[in-house]
Amino acid sequence: MKKLYAVSDIHGQYFNFKEALISAGLVDLELKWKDDNNKLIICGDNIDRGPDSLSVLDLLIELSKSESVVVLMGNHEEMLLNSILTNSEESKEWFSIWINNGGLEFALELGLPKKKSYSINEVKQKIDKKYINFMSKMKNYHTEDIKNENRFLV
C-alpha cells in the first residue's frame, strides 16, 4: 500500500466528497474506484445536515465493494439506526436526538413533507432497506498496518 487516506464528516455533502475523491485520483470521472494500491477509510458521519446524504450512501455502497475502501459508522448513522431498529422508549429518545442533530435534512431528502414533527414510522416507511443494511454492517473502528506500525481509525 502506498498511501492511507482518511475522510470523515461528509454529512451529505456529495458534490464536495466526489470532487475530493477525483482530485486525489482515487476514482475516475465515473466515480469508479481505480486505485487498489491505496486505502480509503471513511470515518463516519456520512449522513445528515447536508443536501445529498442518499447520494453519499449510494457512492459509498459502490466504493465499498473494493477491499481498498472501508466505511466506518459515525454517531449520525448510529443515531438513525438506534431510532429505527428498536421498538422502545429509548428509540423515541434516539429519534428526537437524531432529528435535532441534522436528521431533519435526511428526513426531508426521503421525501417527507416539511412540518414541525415527524414520527419514527414515517422515516421507516420511506427509507430504502439497502441503506439500513449498509449502515448496519459498518464497523466502529478499523486498524491498518502501515510500514509495520498499527494505525487505529475511528
Side-chain angles (χ1 to χ4, degrees), residues 25-43:
L26 297 172
V27 298
D28 61 23
L29 294 176
E30 295 175 354
L31 303 177
K32 303 293 183 209
W33 183 257
K34 68 174 197 173
D35 193 350
D36 282 334
N37 291 321
N38 293 316
K39 190 97 174 194
L40 174 64
I41 313 298
I42 307 295
C43 297

